[in-house]
Amino acid sequence: MKLKNKTNSIFIDGKWHSVDEQDTETVYNPATLEPITEVAYGGKAETEAAIQAASSAFKTWRDMTGRERSRILYKAHELMLEDADRLGEILTTEQGKPLKEAIGEVKGAAGFLLWYAEEASRAYGEWIPSSVKSKRLLVIPQPVGVVGAITPWNFPASMITRKIAPALAAGCAIVLKPAPETPLSAIEIVKILEQAGMPNGVVNLVTGDAEAIGNTMLESKDVRLMTFTGSTDVGKHLMRESADHVKKLSLELGGHAPIVVFDDADIDKAVSLALVSKFRNNGQTCICANRVYVHESVQDAFQEKLTEKVAELKIGDGTEEGVKLGPLINEQALQKVEKHLDNAVKNGAEVICGGDKWNGGLDGYFYQPTVLSNVTDDMLVMNEETFGPIMPVQVFNDEDAVIDKANDTDYGLAAYIFTETTSRAVRVSEKLDYGIVGVNDVTPAVAEAPFGGIKQSGVGKEGGHHGMDEFLEMKYVSMGIDN
Ligand code: ADP
């Protein structure tokens, strides 16, 4: 996909700022390393202007009815679906994932607009029965105010709508900072909202210097909530720096998801689910499987079938037909995967398949889908997010022991169990210290359900009515009345 040499990427108070008048940075295609376009490299001044625009737009946006706000979100949903193929192609070009996955992501991203268009009219309050006859007690949900949203590159479309759709439905105004690797999907989403009739200043977009933009949001009294998806380190930084103004926070951070394949699992199903979990988006997903525990009685069958299927995965440019694994996002990502592999092999892991870079004639950051056995608990792959296509497999033989292992991490985002027994599914789900448990399901992220981690995987929920609660304050009104 060829775009113009330069693309406007800063949108404040309903106006696109001309990229010709700004510093720029280049966006690259991670499959070919070719430059796609240049976008504006904004910082403090642009962020301050965006916050100011959002603060003033908030005053009218919050006073519109939920129904009025939902009309714009519905319209944006329709526009996004109509354009899903083109948007998918842009997403693949900047991020690398296979086109089919990219189009699927765009449709999922539109799904958040639809869900919160529906929820916009359903921000219910409460009427609390008073213990005193002469009082009436009301709880009124009201939008928190201006929201600073910082999003990652692994899901350049859905991570944005998952944040801004509930915020907008609730009546908040937004300053959005997308990841520098993937600003193009963000630009398209903002254009869609503009086309759908979003009033000026309600949604603002600033690309550029992450630290300067983030710090300006943090330093502003007017930004009342920071919503962030990304690394745990940056999440902790935002949490610390939010203290001065006591901002609300919604953080979706890292994970280290275990998959547990029990002896009563359907092995064919387990293999195909494990493949999806590990290799979707090339393992660059905060809920993807990081480690797999397989019961000793099914280990041989699982490994044999898994190896067969992994060998069939086609690697390449995501726009090519049949490709299942695109490139990693950048050089650092590739280096991290190589470091995890080296560490595992040095400490005795066996490479069942893969185990090296892929050299298929493209310049991008490709790595072969890799399965490791003989892995031990102290290896990097078993503790840190690899964010790449390495699947370490360990054998277990006791339910309680494997639950302890699964829980033995500072993370607590998603965990998966494969079993055909209902009692086990319920029992183990309850004991796993995770915000999300998938039982024979590895794609739990949907618009209608609360997605979010515990422990160092984050605070708050995205999706479902819980996702909108993040952007609402419950104002309590106590009224004395004459009886
Ligand atoms: P990753 O390592 O997966 O890229 P990051 O947490 O670094 O994860 O990035 C997620 C988002 O956070 C991106 O939009 C990135 O630009 C942004 N970011 C990185 N550092 C900072 C920072 N110091 N302040 C605010 N945002 C930041």
Side-chain angles (χ1 to χ4, degrees):
M1 166 166 284
K2 194 75 200 123
L3 295 179
K4 283 188 288 190
N5 288 346
K6 288 186 177 186
T7 305
N8 291 341
S9 62
I10 294 187
F11 183 70
I12 300 171
D13 205 13
K15 283 179 232 48
W16 289 98
H17 288 220
S18 170
V19 65
D20 293 328
E21 290 154 26
Q22 276 156 333
D23 291 341
T24 59
E25 74 179 324
T26 307
V27 185
Y28 292 93
N29 180 332
T32 60
L33 306 196
E34 284 165 4
I36 308 169
T37 187
E38 280 177 41
V39 296
Y41 192 75
K44 188 175 167 68
E46 292 80 3
T47 312
E48 280 175 348
I51 294 170
Q52 204 174 3
S55 302
S56 99
F58 172 63
K59 296 190 183 88
T60 38
W61 182 244
R62 72 172 170 203
D63 288 341
M64 285 166 66
T65 65
R67 186 51 88 204
E68 285 168 331
R69 290 196 291 269
S70 76
R71 272 191 208 111
I72 297 172
L73 291 171
Y74 272 123
K75 181 76 191 152
H77 162 253
E78 274 169 27
L79 292 170
M80 200 161 177
L81 278 189
E82 280 165 16
D83 212 8
D85 290 351
R86 189 185 67 89
L87 296 171
E89 211 178 317
I90 291 173
L91 202 159
T92 292
T93 309
E94 65 177 346
Q95 200 271 350
K97 67 177 65 176
L99 186 57
K100 210 168 145 198
E101 271 185 45
I103 295 172
E105 182 188 333
V106 169
K107 291 180 178 168
F112 285 104
L113 295 168
L114 175 63
W115 172 266
Y116 287 105
E118 290 161 345
E119 284 296 286
S121 308
R122 301 196 180 101
Y124 299 124
E126 278 179 86
W127 185 280
I128 300 173
S130 171
S131 55
V132 181
K133 248 195 188 157
S134 59
K135 282 194 183 201
R136 296 296 181 269
L137 315 179
L138 278 71
V139 179
I140 312 173
Q142 294 190 315
V144 295
V146 173
V147 169
I150 300 177
T151 54
W153 48 263
N154 60 344
F155 288 91
S158 59
M159 290 306 100
I160 291 178
T161 55
R162 191 160 82 169
K163 293 182 186 309
I164 69 176
L168 292 169
C172 296
I174 290 154
V175 178
L176 169 66
K177 190 209 91 60
E181 295 85 351
T182 58
L184 306 179
S185 296
I187 294 167
E188 294 298 325
I189 291 170
V190 171
K191 282 188 194 161
I192 285 172
L193 290 164
E194 189 187 6
Q195 218 186 323
M198 192 60 69
N200 291 349
V202 175
V203 176
N204 305 275
L205 176 68
V206 184
T207 55
D209 182 340
E211 220 172 300
I213 299 169
N215 287 344
T216 309
M217 290 176 177
L218 290 163
E219 283 157 14
S220 165
K221 267 190 194 170
D222 293 334
V223 175
R224 291 308 314 143
L225 183 148
M226 294 293 293
T227 173
F228 169 78
T229 299
S231 60
T232 297
D233 281 348
V234 174
K236 286 179 181 175
H237 162 71
L238 297 178
M239 202 166 195
R240 279 189 206 104
E241 300 301 319
S242 288
D244 277 350
H245 295 306
V246 195
K247 292 187 201 305
K248 289 187 88 178
L249 286 162
S250 176
L251 306 174
E252 296 292 348
L253 310 178
H256 204 276
I259 284 183
V260 184
V261 184
F262 284 102
D263 50 356
D264 57 358
D266 173 328
I267 295 304
D268 288 328
K269 195 157 74 181
V271 167
S272 54
L273 288 171
L275 279 178
V276 171
S277 177
K278 182 69 251 187
F279 299 115
R280 182 173 70 113
N281 203 10
N282 214 351
Q284 303 175 110
T285 307
C286 48
I287 58 166
C288 74
N290 276 273
R291 49 204 158 109
V292 179
Y293 300 102
V294 185
H295 192 272
E296 59 182 1
S297 65
V298 291
Q299 154 67 10
D300 290 346
F302 179 82
Q303 190 165 304
E304 192 184 320
K305 289 182 182 185
L306 181 75
T307 317
E308 255 171 48
K309 294 277 182 200
V310 170
E312 290 168 11
L313 296 174
K314 185 173 168 187
I315 313 171
D317 187 321
T319 53
E320 205 186 305
E321 187 65 32
V323 162
K324 290 283 190 308
L325 261 87
L328 291 159
I329 192 71
N330 53 29
E331 182 69 34
Q332 295 94 293
L334 188 59
Q335 282 170 4
K336 190 172 189 191
V337 170
E338 290 185 308
K339 182 173 149 195
H340 279 202
L341 194 281
D342 288 350
N343 170 274
V345 171
K346 272 198 194 103
N347 288 291
E350 189 187 340
V351 179
I352 302 296
C353 57
D356 208 346
K357 284 197 267 197
W358 178 78
N359 298 312
L362 291 166
D363 290 336
Y365 310 107
F366 291 93
Y367 200 87
Q368 298 170 4
T370 300
V371 178
L372 301 177
S373 69
N374 283 343
V375 290
T376 49
D377 296 342
D378 53 341
M379 292 176 180
L380 288 177
V381 270
M382 297 299 276
N383 294 282
E384 287 181 15
E385 265 188 308
T386 307
F387 242 57
I390 300 183
M391 184 193 284
V393 181
Q394 200 180 81
V395 176
F396 77 94
N397 57 22
D398 176 75
E399 183 179 297
D400 286 336
V402 80
I403 292 171
D404 286 346
K405 280 204 175 199
N407 286 339
D408 187 16
T409 166
D410 288 336
Y411 291 115
L413 187 54
Y416 306 97
I417 53 174
F418 301 161
T419 172
E420 294 299 311
T421 312
T422 309
S423 299
R424 172 173 269 156
V426 173
R427 187 171 68 233
V428 178
S429 295
E430 287 174 356
K431 288 183 186 158
L432 286 168
D433 297 335
Y434 286 84
I436 302 161
V437 176
V439 179
N440 302 326
D441 178 27
V442 293
T443 46
V446 291
E448 60 272 25
F451 180 106
I454 59 171
K455 294 157 79 179
Q456 294 190 26
S457 287
V459 290
K461 301 290 177 196
E462 293 189 334
H465 67 85
H466 310 81
M468 191 149 137
D469 293 346
E470 301 288 327
F471 299 98
L472 292 167
E473 296 283 8
M474 291 295 156
K475 182 178 282 174
Y476 162 46
V477 180
S478 178
M479 293 196 296
I481 61 152
D482 296 331
N483 282 301

